């Protein structure tokens, strides 16, 4: 299988110096890679997630490299725990200038088999919890400071993915939330961007099985899966002064998958 070249950060070590970033779901996958990349480009990082062990491992790696990281075990679906995350970040670092809404979850199922409970579970984490974190960070830190970047993680292909109707609906809502907030909160100098990530090689992806992963890989024109670091480096760039004129849009990181489509026959063929 074709893989990405070994990752080397394209950014200067001080590109995000002085910034404070909060990454939800920061212990694994894209969230972990993003926390590491923000830290290695100079940012102080707060990470949260439901599992303490991967959070602790990520924080330890950042601190061993000379960075500063605060790990807060928490469930962003619970509003009081969201407030606890923000409290901890403000107390430790004084505020939050970059928010990466990475936490999310989904399961594969034919649309007709998705129960109301399953639909609500995906929407609660991907959409409702994301809004809860975004509102808390914006009202308590970004709006008063008249500055900030909010990043949302969406899906590619943008036109939908079979077996993930619930997740695609939630991620499409996130993309429109990003553009809507960019229009409304630009007066506070807050930028808002959605990153539509394609098939990224994470432990979560591997759980779908080798056959599914290989099928998705074949649908990517570049012929390989993306790496978490490739998504993370774009997010870190957006936080720098070089990304300061980018807002209100969805950036696709998918090896050409959205441009090509699903590259497979419809289910009735």
């Amino acid at each position: 299988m074709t893989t990405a070249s070994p990752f080397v950060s394209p950014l200067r070590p001080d590109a995000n110096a002085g910034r404070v970033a909060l990454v939800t779901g920061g212990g694994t996958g894209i969230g972990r890679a993003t926390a590491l990349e923000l830290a290695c480009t100079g940012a102080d990082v707060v990470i949260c997630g439901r599992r303490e062990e991967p959070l602790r491992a990520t924080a330890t790696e950042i601190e061993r490299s000379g960075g500063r990281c605060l790990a807060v075990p928490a469930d962003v679906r619970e509003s009081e725990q969201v407030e606890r995350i923000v409290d901890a970040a403000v107390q430790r670092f004084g505020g939050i200038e970059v928010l990466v809404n990475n936490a999310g979850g989904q399961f594969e199922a034919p649309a007709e088999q998705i129960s109301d409970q399953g639909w609500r579970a995906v929407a609660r984490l991907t959409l409702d919890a994301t809004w809860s974190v975004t509102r808390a960070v914006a009202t308590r830190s970004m709006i008063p400071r008249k500055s900030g970047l909010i990043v949302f993680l969406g899906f590619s292909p943008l036109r939908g993915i079979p077996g993930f109707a619930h997740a695609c609906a939630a991620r499409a809502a996130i993309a429109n939330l990003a553009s809507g907030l960019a229009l409304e909160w630009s007066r506070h100098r807050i930028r808002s961007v959605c990153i539509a990530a394609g098939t990224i090689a994470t432990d979560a992806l591997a759980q779908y099985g080798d056959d599914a992963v290989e099928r998705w890989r074949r649908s990517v024109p570049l012929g390989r899966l993306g790496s978490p670091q490739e998504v993370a480096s774009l997010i870190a760039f957006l936080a720098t002064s070089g990304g300061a004129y980018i807002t209100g849009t969805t950036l696709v990181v998918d090896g050409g998958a959205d441009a090509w489509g699903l590259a497979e026959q419809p289910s009735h063929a």
Side-chain angles (χ1 to χ4, degrees):
M1 179 186 298
T2 304
T3 58
S5 301
F7 179 78
V8 177
S9 176
L11 300 176
R12 290 171 40 153
D14 62 349
N16 281 307
R19 294 183 174 87
V20 179
L22 168 60
V23 182
T24 67
T28 59
I30 293 173
R32 178 181 184 277
T34 299
L36 293 171
E37 181 68 2
L38 286 164
C40 84
T41 57
D44 294 324
V45 181
V46 181
I47 55 176
C48 65
R50 286 177 285 176
R51 294 188 292 141
E52 184 173 358
E53 185 176 349
L55 290 176
R56 186 167 59 248
T58 300
T60 298
E61 185 169 349
I62 289 172
E63 290 164 354
R64 283 176 177 169
S65 300
R68 298 198 298 175
C69 181
L70 174 64
V72 185
D75 187 342
V76 293
R77 296 173 297 183
E78 304 296 336
S79 58
E80 67 275 8
Q81 295 192 41
V82 169
E83 292 299 325
R84 180 165 60 83
I85 296 165
V86 178
D87 285 341
V90 170
Q91 183 176 357
R92 175 73 180 274
F93 296 122
I96 300 167
E97 299 163 79
V98 179
L99 169 61
V100 182
N101 284 301
N102 169 72
Q106 54 275 324
F107 55 90
E108 186 174 15
E112 66 274 14
Q113 294 181 16
I114 300 172
S115 66
D116 289 346
Q117 181 179 1
W119 181 278
R120 286 191 295 266
V122 170
R124 185 185 179 201
L125 179 56
T126 303
L127 184 57
D128 297 348
T130 292
W131 171 240
S132 180
V133 176
T134 299
R135 180 181 57 203
V137 171
T139 56
R140 296 187 54 187
S141 187
M142 293 182 177
I143 291 175
R145 290 167 172 261
K146 296 293 183 181
S147 177
L149 167 67
I150 304 169
V151 177
F152 300 90
L153 266 293
F155 271 178
S156 173
L158 299 173
R159 57 180 61 84
I161 304 171
F164 294 92
H166 48 352
C168 289
R171 301 287 179 166
I174 287 296
N176 278 276
L177 176 60
S179 58
L181 291 180
L183 297 175
E184 190 165 346
W185 286 352
S186 288
R187 68 182 186 274
H188 301 301
R189 299 297 184 264
I190 296 172
R191 295 182 294 120
S192 178
V193 179
C194 179
I195 303 295
T199 310
I200 307 299
T202 63
D203 290 341
L205 182 74
Q207 293 175 4
Y208 292 104
D210 293 343
D211 290 345
V213 172
E214 176 59 17
R215 185 175 73 251
W216 292 330
R217 184 197 66 79
R218 290 198 304 268
S219 71
V220 180
L222 281 183
R224 65 172 177 85
L225 304 180
S227 73
Q229 292 82 3
E230 288 173 312
V231 180
S233 63
L234 174 58
I235 294 172
F237 167 75
L238 290 171
T240 71
S241 57
Y245 205 51
I246 301 173
T247 190
T249 191
T250 294
L251 303 177
V252 181
V253 186
D254 69 352
D258 184 65
W260 178 250
L262 290 172
E264 61 182 35
Q265 292 181 321
S267 58
H268 63 269

